[in-house]
Amino acid sequence: DIGAGTGAFAFTMQQNGWKTTALEPDNTAVEVALLKYKLALQPLENLQQLPNKEFNAITLWHVLEHVHDVQAYFKKFGELLATNGTLFIAVPNYTSFDADWFKEFWAAYDVPRHLYHFSPTSMQHLAEKHGFSIVKQKRMWFDSFYVSMLSTQYQSKKINYLIAILVGVCSTVASIFHKEKCSSLIYILQKK
């Protein structure tokens, strides 16, 4: 798990029988993971020393938009994954209904913390460039509500729960008919 945060996902995977490796750059999050889950997260720099072709799954939950060199990361994913390994990437979708609604106030732009912004088309190009196929896309149903809530705060300096709920509902309904309108998507990729 790259960008493991406080380790909740890695801990859950361990509890379900997975052997996990979790990397996190934030020292405070590393300390919380150790205190809360007895989980020793590795520094992000260790990514380059991990053994090739040893990982059945690599996960990035709202992390890829924060990395400085997306191309190098994708190259490394291809090296680390075992044959038939799977890459899971969750990212905000700047072509979502809520992004269109809030425009420059869309909270998931989150500049300068988000260095890149993705759409289903850009993820498709990125995957293909690095020898991956997107085998499935899954909606993150509740992200539109959270992002809309933050977006109303960016727009008017206070949270407007009514607008946030209405835009969240519209974004969710739009994504039922057009997955590419979902606020955030999980891309499930495999090497070709």
Side-chain angles (χ1 to χ4, degrees):
D1 187 31
I2 300 171
T6 59
F9 179 74
F11 177 76
T12 300
M13 294 306 290
Q14 277 185 345
Q15 297 302 302
N16 285 281
W18 286 77
K19 179 182 173 196
T20 63
T21 301
L23 298 104
E24 172 56 44
D26 184 76
N27 290 331
T28 302
V30 170
E31 291 171 14
V32 171
L34 193 56
L35 287 170
K36 189 170 184 178
Y37 300 112
K38 309 288 186 263
L39 190 63
L41 305 181
Q42 296 183 29
L44 192 55
E45 298 80 43
N46 286 13
L47 180 65
Q48 299 307 317
Q49 286 76 47
L50 294 176
N52 288 344
K53 303 199 181 307
E54 292 288 321
F55 295 89
N56 293 315
I58 297 174
T59 58
L60 294 95
W61 305 115
H62 283 282
V63 170
L64 194 63
E65 62 271 25
H66 296 273
V67 304
H68 288 273
D69 192 345
V70 172
Q71 306 299 330
Y73 268 70
F74 256 83
K75 181 176 184 281
K76 191 64 180 174
F77 300 152
E79 294 169 358
L80 293 174
L81 280 171
T83 304
N84 299 320
T86 304
L87 177 60
F88 298 86
I89 299 174
V91 288
N93 172 20
Y94 78 87
T95 62
S96 67
F97 177 91
D98 47 294
D100 288 342
W101 178 272
F102 288 109
K103 304 204 180 312
E104 71 271 15
F105 296 106
W106 188 55
Y109 282 129
D110 202 11
V111 175
R113 293 179 343 115
H114 288 186
L115 304 174
Y116 294 92
H117 301 99
F118 299 97
S119 68
T121 301
S122 67
M123 283 300 294
Q124 182 68 38
H125 290 303
L126 187 61
E128 288 175 1
K129 179 178 180 178
H130 292 281
F132 284 91
S133 295
I134 297 175
V135 295
K136 190 179 274 191
Q137 290 179 22
K138 297 183 92 37
R139 297 168 189 87
M140 297 186 77
W141 293 107
F142 298 108
D143 273 21
S144 61
F145 294 96
Y146 176 68
V147 171
S148 293
M149 185 179 68
L150 292 176
S151 298
T152 64
Q153 186 174 25
Y154 291 174
Q155 196 171 40
S156 63
K157 307 298 182 232
K158 63 179 182 166
I159 297 172
N160 184 325
Y161 291 100
L162 180 59
I163 295 295
I165 290 168
L166 289 173
V167 174
V169 167
C170 290
S171 189
T172 300
V173 170
S175 72
I176 291 170
F177 300 103
H178 302 284
K179 192 180 296 181
E180 68 277 1
K181 290 297 179 185
C182 195
S183 191
S184 294
L185 291 163
I186 300 170
Y187 298 90
I188 302 170
L189 303 94
Q190 292 189 319
K191 291 191 289 186
K192 291 182 181 179

